[in-house]
Amino acid sequence: MSGDAVQHPRARGGQAPDVFRKGGWVSMREYPCDEEVDFVIVGTGAGGATLACRLAEQGFKVVALDAGAWWRPLEEFASDEAHQQKLYWTDQRICDGDNPLKMGSNNSGKAVGGSTVHFAMVSLRFRPEWFKCRSLLGYGADWPIDWREMWRYYDEVEQALSIAGPITYPWGPPRKRYPYRSHELNAAALVLARGAEAMGTAWSATPLATVSAPHGKSPPCVYRGFCVAGCATNAKQSALVTWIPRALKAGAEIRDLAMAGRIETNDLGRAVGVEYFRDGAWRFQRARNVVVAGYAIETPRLLLLSANHRFPDGLANSSGLVGKNLMVQSNQAVWGVMDEEIRSYKGPPSLSISEHWNYQDKGKDFFGGYAYMSQGPLPVGWASTQNGRGLWGAKLSREMQKYNHQAGLKIVGETLPQERNRVTLADEKDQYGLPVARITYGFCDNDKKLIAHALHFMEQALEAAGGKEIWRQEDDTCHLNGTARMGDDPRTSVVNADCRSWDIPNLWICDGSVFPTIGGVNPSLTIQAIACRTADRIRALAQRGEL
Amino acid sequence: MNSNAITTRYPGYDVLNKRDTPSWDPITRQVVEERLSMSRQPRFFDLAQWTAATALCTCVVVQPDDRLAVPVAAMLDARLFEDQGDGWRDARLPPLRQAWCIGLAALDAESQGEHGLVFAQLAAARQTALVEQMQCGKLRAAAWQGMPSDLFFSERVLHDLYGAYYAHPAAWSEIGFGGPANPRGYVRLNKNRRDPWEAIEATAENAATVKRKNTRVR
Amino acid sequence: MKQRMRSDTTTLLALGGIAIAATVLGARKPARAAWSAAPRQTRREAPTHIAAARRFNHSSSLLALSVLADSAVEHYRGSFKNPAMFIPLLSASLSFFAGLHGGRDRRAASHPVRHGIHAFAAMAGIAGTGFHIYNVTKRTGGWSWNNLFYAAPLGAPTALLLSGGLGAIGERLRDQPANEPRLLGMPAGRAMALAVSAGLLGTVGEVGLLHFRGAFQHPAMYAPVIIPPVAATLMVQTALAAPRPRPGTRWWLRLTAALGLLGVGFHARGIARCQGGWRNWSQNIPSGPPLPAPPSFTALALAGLAALRLRQTEK
């Protein structure tokens, strides 16, 4: 049954899969390809699904395309790391640079719902100063959006996702109470807590997008621990079970297994629709507006693939910045063995967090910040982490025997935007005949100093919490941002604050690509907040006749 | 490698005993069943490659000798047969299948050059020594076709072999992992607490008792 | 580990000692009352205060049953890590039977064994609260919301104290004269109404905390934090104002009693809504909404009705 979803589109004939019922269907409005819809959105992850939902609810005609399959989690998400790789973007990409990235698992998804289907649900707000980090903190680039405005949209998204968070969050300005209470902390989370207390720094239960009590058709989390392999419970508030059902109800059409290959523009330099591959053929959807929401690799790739005689360097690229300023987040860790049994495979992987070094600027010899969180790796992932130390054979087997006693602290660290870190097109072609993305990445000195600071601090914290045989994992990264940054100036940015491209007024970009800086928190909540803001701005512009 | 054999801390524990409990749902049963009933005959590798791959798997992935070995080489072969990539590759490496074909041929070539025998014919200690050289990137024969041997080892050999091994229920049991968990997840999350359906960790003194108890865990 | 075991054993012994002492102390006074010689009252001539005492015994019994089931589930969840975790099971079982026994007993004299059992329950309730406070404070985070939600529930042992208290009141009342019985230096009806009121408010505190943990995700979750406080207020009014018939209060107490039973239904549905539903009982009974908890309100409301009746006969 699971092969079926990747072979034949499911959303057709006026119906789409019901993610809340085994074998279920819900009705879906459909638009003919030759009808000029208001918006065609490429990608249905944190950015695309949120925007599709909000625009449809405002009455726009919306068609959203996703290259991935439309799964029903209850019957198709196995409790199995290997099998669930079906949720990852496993089309070929080529990685080079000083620190070639590892793609696939923790930074790309290919499914309706995007990578929110397998994200770790960590839902954090940016530190307010980060929206003006050039002016206030002296690095990166300013955002064209005020933090107070973002704070309102964070509220909205937290409500929409029923975020389970602490009663009081120790960092940043006051926020509304999280709609759901934080989850019980597992032993791994308490290791972080003990370490933080020993170091005299604050810690907190992590605000998570998985419900701690029933919500609608979502039952509460059962702590099965397979979160990053897809939630078979539907407790996880992914785009697949939140924005997308809402979008369908509001009349949006979502097409699964629809790979966008090209955005067409007309002689006036406006976008007229998207060419996409579905069900064995290339098709064309006409639209008044095109939104690209494919995340920081596929978004620039599509813009570059759409180059034509009028826009020879790719669409929206007069600044030359499409594909540039790719930012990952550093994802280094310290691991240790505890006397007690931890069994960190139980529960969401990152139940506790310290954002101390996001908000504390003293004692740093670098720009930016990092959060660190407790960890809960599953066997395949854990073996891979051990391989990263160069372990194999009997040494590895002996280390793996300590699986239930290990605990770790892992950062989500800020990296600086650098133009040399970029996405370009390679000569190699993928299964659709489209050139694959070449991803070039290298840490700068500031990134390395941040990592060194974090590893040093976490090592002390883990030791204070009782960790033994402590070692450093230095090779991991997570999340992808940048490559189509927003700004105030068409010369130094790709889109404006409304995610509207400077060059083509009816071409929008709405995903993590628009981030001018990345901060030290997981980006999904901010992507969704920006999508909500973009939807409101589009309504305002439409009312003024400025679309 | 028997001298290095590992004794599990979870004697008697078998995640497969939970197959008919609420910890396993139909899709998981199906997926794991397919993995367990996988053909042990190669469909992608030719005989020479298969011989080399089998020897490499035995050398790299140490398995306890008191149970049937996890067919790592067959799992690798299946992956290559389906050309199941990761979604990315280091620019210095060729695509998945090509990397393996080059790597295995190069390993045999290195072995021939040094000892006059193919890799599979070497004594275990010599195999290990050769693999260690590969890990350090010291193997540079023409047969590598410019592919860095250390990168092949870390990105392909370790990644693919251990990715296969730890996807097998026998490996889950060995490390005391709870295994599949839907619809039944877990109740007791605090340190030193286990649900009745989780493995019991043994010490040197109580191994026999724990083994008996672990056979009833489900 | 060994040290831990020793302290556990000490704890157990200490609690056992308290229990025995309580039984003996409790037994002393009623022994003087020569309960065995007391004439059996026939149903026809049963004085009001004995009827009230029996109702209190019944309430105590129902409350004990709720505690028994709840602590069995919760302490099973806690893997009976500390042997003292068996005490509430023992105590609540005894209280349950003592309450049933008392409920059938029409004699105008307290029963020393029953009285001892109730005293034991009260003591165990107090000790349990102490243990649960210790459990919360020793956890990382101390007095944090997360620990209040997920560590040993602070309010739960109080239910055992309440059960013991109701039972003990039932016993003490039997030793009072039929005319103008008194408890704690005030008319018995007033004392009982106040006790019920305090019990209701304490229970509401516990429910409020746990339903807050559940984010009041279902509107019905507000009912037990709205209805019982009104009942508690009415009981205070009953106690303090001049006695008179109070049909409104009676109906409100009946509503509160029904709420406790309805609550079981809602909690059963809550378990069914969890992943895997009832088939996944080994997870969802300990982790889902507590099935045996809501009848505490029924028990307290029934006690409230008994107090109300007695109060109406007072001057």
Side-chain angles (χ1 to χ4, degrees):
Chain A
M1 56 185 157
S2 62
D4 181 51
V6 289
Q7 275 151 18
H8 305 289
R10 284 181 165 174
R12 62 202 316 178
Q15 61 176 17
D18 181 353
V19 293
F20 293 107
R21 278 187 305 134
K22 294 175 183 172
W25 298 94
V26 291
S27 64
M28 180 179 77
R29 183 167 176 186
E30 283 184 301
Y31 298 92
C33 276
D34 55 7
E35 178 176 342
E36 189 180 43
V37 295
D38 294 320
F39 286 88
V40 59
I41 300 176
V42 180
T44 63
T50 310
L51 190 63
C53 167
R54 293 284 261 91
L55 289 177
E57 286 177 348
Q58 288 168 14
F60 290 107
K61 293 178 177 175
V62 175
V63 170
L65 311 174
D66 201 288
W70 201 324
W71 303 104
R72 290 189 191 94
L74 295 179
E75 60 180 348
E76 291 176 324
F77 286 2
S79 296
D80 187 84
E81 283 175 277
H83 177 80
Q84 289 301 117
Q85 289 178 6
K86 67 187 182 185
L87 299 181
Y88 303 156
W89 188 284
T90 53
D91 298 357
Q92 192 64 272
R93 287 155 169 176
I94 297 170
C95 301
D96 60 11
D98 297 342
N99 303 91
L101 299 181
K102 297 184 177 183
M103 305 293 297
S105 59
N106 68 350
N107 54 21
S108 339
K110 190 178 187 181
V112 173
S115 45
T116 68
V117 178
H118 62 82
F119 77 153
M121 312 166 297
V122 176
S123 300
L124 305 173
R125 298 181 178 202
F126 261 44
R127 175 181 167 181
E129 288 89 335
W130 290 343
F131 291 102
K132 290 283 175 282
C133 60
R134 166 58 65 188
S135 316
L136 297 176
L137 302 169
Y139 72 93
D142 284 352
W143 289 54
I145 305 177
D146 187 80
W147 74 271
R148 280 161 295 229
E149 198 184 352
M150 286 299 290
W151 234 238
R152 289 206 307 276
Y153 287 105
Y154 280 135
D155 282 346
E156 179 185 341
V157 177
E158 285 167 359
Q159 292 295 323
L161 303 188
S162 307
I163 301 292
I167 305 288
T168 47
Y169 195 66
W171 306 280
R175 54 190 69 184
K176 259 171 99 168
R177 173 170 300 153
Y178 287 107
Y180 276 52
R181 305 293 81 79
S182 56
H183 292 269
E184 183 176 358
L185 301 176
N186 64 7
L190 290 168
V191 168
L192 180 144
R194 285 207 304 274
E197 290 193 351
M199 300 295 284
T201 54
W203 63 276
S204 172
T206 312
L208 292 176
T210 178
V211 287
S212 56
H215 175 76
K217 292 173 183 167
S218 289
C221 176
V222 294
Y223 307 113
R224 59 192 275 274
F226 280 88
C227 314
V228 296
C231 179
T233 312
N234 274 341
K236 176 190 282 191
Q237 300 299 290
S238 66
L240 179 63
V241 304
T242 54
W243 302 110
I244 286 169
R246 264 174 69 179
L248 290 183
K249 210 170 276 177
E253 180 187 348
I254 291 168
R255 296 184 193 149
D256 55 338
L257 301 184
M259 175 68 188
R262 187 178 182 82
I263 299 163
E264 290 292 342
T265 59
N266 63 12
D267 293 341
L268 301 170
R270 290 180 65 93
V272 293
V274 174
E275 196 179 356
Y276 67 99
F277 189 83
R278 194 185 196 215
D279 215 7
W282 286 97
R283 300 157 200 278
F284 187 77
Q285 176 65 51
R286 295 176 62 218
R288 289 188 191 89
N289 291 274
V290 173
V291 182
V292 189
Y295 210 19
I297 307 299
E298 294 306 313
T299 287
R301 181 180 175 218
L302 181 59
L303 295 173
L304 297 175
L305 285 173
S306 303
N308 54 36
H309 65 280
R310 191 184 168 106
F311 300 105
D313 300 323
L315 304 189
N317 200 15
S318 65
S319 63
L321 289 174
V322 168
K324 290 185 182 165
N325 291 309
L326 171 67
M327 292 169 285
V328 297
Q329 283 174 314
S330 38
N331 202 205
Q332 280 67 13
V334 297
W335 298 96
V337 178
M338 315 299 289
D339 288 335
E340 64 266 27
E341 285 183 31
I342 301 295
R343 297 185 191 256
S344 63
Y345 55 80
K346 297 191 275 190
S350 296
L351 279 162
S352 67
I353 184 171
S354 169
E355 273 208 71
H356 177 79
W357 290 107
N358 271 335
Y359 285 84
Q360 174 59 262
D361 293 324
K362 282 186 197 132
K364 286 177 179 170
D365 59 348
F366 56 88
F367 290 122
Y370 62 88
Y372 68 89
M373 287 163 243
S374 59
Q375 296 297 306
L378 298 179
V380 172
W382 182 234
S384 158
T385 302
Q386 292 286 0
N387 287 155
R389 306 163 79 179
L391 294 188
W392 53 279
K395 273 188 195 156
L396 180 92
S397 303
R398 265 193 290 277
E399 277 305 305
M400 292 299 288
Q401 278 299 306
K402 300 170 189 165
Y403 176 62
N404 283 341
H405 285 264
Q406 56 84 22
L409 306 173
K410 197 167 208 192
I411 62 167
V412 168
E414 184 160 13
T415 64
L416 297 190
Q418 307 173 62
E419 290 195 11
R420 68 184 182 119
N421 291 335
R422 57 187 300 195
V423 176
T424 50
L425 299 179
D427 297 332
E428 208 170 307
K429 303 270 178 19
D430 67 3
Q431 70 269 39
Y432 309 101
L434 305 169
V436 306
R438 174 180 289 272
I439 303 163
T440 307
Y441 194 84
F443 288 127
C444 65
D445 283 345
N446 189 79
D447 302 340
K448 291 175 189 163
K449 281 184 191 163
L450 182 147
I451 291 167
H453 182 280
L455 289 173
H456 178 66
F457 183 82
M458 293 191 300
E459 226 165 45
Q460 291 172 282
L462 189 58
E463 196 172 351
K468 292 168 183 161
E469 303 173 40
I470 293 172
W471 59 279
R472 296 174 165 201
Q473 178 193 358
E474 311 210 23
D475 65 348
D476 215 358
T477 67
C478 60
H479 309 129
L480 304 161
N481 292 77
T483 69
R485 63 156 56 162
M486 60 162 63
D488 283 325
D489 185 344
R491 289 166 304 176
T492 56
S493 58
V494 179
V495 296
N496 66 14
D498 302 339
C499 293
R500 186 177 204 171
S501 76
W502 293 112
D503 301 349
I504 302 175
N506 67 339
L507 175 66
W508 312 70
I509 296 169
C510 189
D511 59 23
S513 320
V514 302
F515 284 31
T517 55
I518 171 77
V521 296
N522 310 45
S524 64
L525 196 74
T526 304
I527 297 174
Q528 291 170 85
I530 287 173
C532 287
R533 183 184 180 279
T534 301
D536 283 354
R537 289 292 302 147
I538 285 173
R539 171 162 57 185
L541 291 168
Q543 280 164 355
R544 297 207 300 261
E546 293 172 18
L547 260 199
Chain B
M1 300 298 282
N2 284 354
S3 58
N4 278 328
I6 303 303
T7 44
T8 174
R9 295 185 186 192
Y10 306 92
Y13 171 65
D14 186 353
V15 288
L16 290 177
N17 287 343
K18 294 199 256 181
R19 198 168 3 190
D20 297 319
T21 69
S23 282
W24 288 53
D25 53 15
I27 173 74
T28 305
R29 274 193 287 268
Q30 179 195 327
V31 162
V32 174
E33 188 51 50
E34 279 167 16
R35 196 169 300 149
L36 293 175
S37 58
M38 178 182 289
S39 156
R40 297 195 174 215
Q41 295 308 312
R43 287 178 294 169
F44 173 77
F45 287 133
D46 64 23
L47 187 59
Q49 290 167 334
W50 176 243
T51 312
T54 309
L56 182 63
C57 290
T58 312
C59 174
V60 171
V61 183
V62 172
Q63 303 203 35
D65 40 20
D66 58 352
R67 62 154 164 78
L68 206 62
V70 172
V72 181
M75 291 167 85
L76 171 66
D77 178 83
R79 181 179 166 153
L80 293 171
F81 182 74
E82 282 150 25
D83 201 14
Q84 196 182 78
D86 297 309
W88 59 277
R89 68 170 203 271
D90 192 303
R92 292 164 288 176
L93 290 178
L96 176 71
R97 287 175 162 181
Q98 209 183 333
W100 271 104
C101 292
I102 294 173
L104 291 175
L107 206 54
D108 272 345
E110 296 277 3
S111 171
Q112 291 270 16
E114 200 171 331
H115 307 289
L117 297 167
V118 293
F119 181 74
Q121 291 169 320
L122 295 185
R126 285 191 166 169
Q127 284 180 340
T128 305
L130 201 61
V131 171
E132 280 166 355
Q133 281 183 294
M134 169 161 62
Q135 182 175 21
C136 303
K138 286 181 189 156
L139 302 185
R140 295 199 179 98
W144 289 96
Q145 300 179 31
M147 178 169 77
S149 61
D150 52 345
L151 209 60
F152 171 70
F153 182 73
S154 61
E155 303 296 326
R156 288 272 65 95
V157 176
L158 293 184
H159 179 80
D160 294 345
L161 300 196
Y162 281 108
Y165 182 71
Y166 282 100
H168 197 282
W172 302 339
S173 304
E174 194 177 292
I175 62 171
F177 172 53
N182 186 52
R184 184 175 63 183
Y186 301 101
V187 175
R188 295 159 188 87
L189 304 181
N190 213 336
K191 64 181 179 187
N192 292 329
R193 297 291 170 93
R194 50 169 279 277
D195 287 323
W197 51 94
E198 291 184 276
I200 307 166
E201 185 175 313
T203 58
E205 299 87 58
N206 66 5
T209 331
V210 167
K211 184 171 185 176
R212 223 173 23 251
K213 286 184 181 166
N214 264 335
T215 55
R216 291 195 297 267
V217 164
R218 62 199 59 198
Chain C
M1 195 62 208
K2 210 165 235 172
Q3 201 174 355
R4 171 80 187 276
M5 280 297 282
R6 203 176 310 130
S7 75
D8 287 349
T9 317
T10 319
T11 311
L12 191 60
L13 286 176
L15 278 177
I18 292 173
I20 293 163
T23 316
V24 172
L25 281 175
R28 252 179 55 211
K29 211 165 71 179
R32 273 206 309 275
W35 60 276
S36 53
R40 261 180 189 271
Q41 299 279 347
T42 62
R43 184 179 293 265
R44 180 160 37 82
E45 48 192 333
T48 323
H49 79 294
I50 298 300
R54 288 174 52 215
R55 290 198 188 95
F56 262 57
N57 284 132
H58 271 142
S59 296
S60 160
S61 179
L62 180 54
L63 207 46
L65 186 63
S66 166
V67 171
L68 174 61
D70 199 34
S71 66
V73 172
E74 289 293 329
H75 287 180
Y76 169 69
R77 179 193 167 103
S79 312
F80 291 99
K81 206 71 181 172
N82 184 332
M85 291 163 86
F86 285 105
I87 290 176
L89 272 71
L90 172 70
S91 172
S93 305
L94 292 174
S95 287
F96 171 64
F97 288 112
L100 282 187
H101 186 267
R104 295 172 62 90
D105 185 353
R106 296 165 202 278
R107 284 171 295 193
S110 67
H111 188 295
V113 177
R114 287 204 309 257
H115 208 152
I117 288 171
H118 293 314
F120 175 38
M123 300 270 192
I126 292 168
T129 306
F131 266 113
H132 284 201
I133 288 174
Y134 170 68
N135 181 286
V136 167
T137 53
K138 79 168 184 187
R139 286 208 184 193
T140 313
W143 288 104
S144 65
W145 281 104
N146 206 274
N147 284 345
L148 289 176
F149 291 150
Y150 298 110
L154 290 188
T158 330
L160 193 54
L161 170 63
L162 274 177
S163 166
L166 294 182
I169 287 174
E171 296 304 321
R172 297 277 294 274
L173 193 56
R174 290 165 191 268
D175 292 337
Q176 291 292 313
N179 200 18
E180 295 183 27
R182 293 179 73 81
L183 282 174
L184 304 167
M186 59 180 99
R190 169 181 289 177
M192 290 161 77
L194 288 176
V196 168
S197 176
L200 280 170
L201 288 177
T203 310
V204 166
E206 172 83 354
V207 174
L209 179 74
L210 293 181
H211 282 195
F212 179 52
R213 178 179 97 182
F216 289 97
Q217 50 87 18
H218 192 285
M221 292 169 81
Y222 286 103
V225 293
I226 293 171
I227 294 171
V230 174
T233 313
L234 292 171
M235 287 319 286
V236 172
Q237 193 194 24
T238 303
L240 300 184
R244 63 172 172 81
R246 294 179 184 276
T249 303
R250 177 169 302 126
W251 278 107
W252 198 265
L253 286 168
R254 285 177 180 159
L255 177 66
T256 309
L259 174 74
L261 299 179
L262 271 177
V264 177
F266 273 108
H267 284 197
R269 184 170 163 273
I271 289 175
R273 273 179 85 187
C274 287
Q275 176 76 342
W278 278 92
R279 195 174 74 84
N280 188 15
W281 61 270
S282 55
Q283 169 159 38
N284 290 340
I285 289 181
S287 292
L291 266 189
S296 314
F297 282 125
T298 309
L300 286 164
L302 292 177
L305 284 166
L308 185 65
R309 265 180 229 165
L310 187 62
R311 180 68 183 146
Q312 279 168 12
T313 67
E314 289 172 350
K315 285 171 193 154

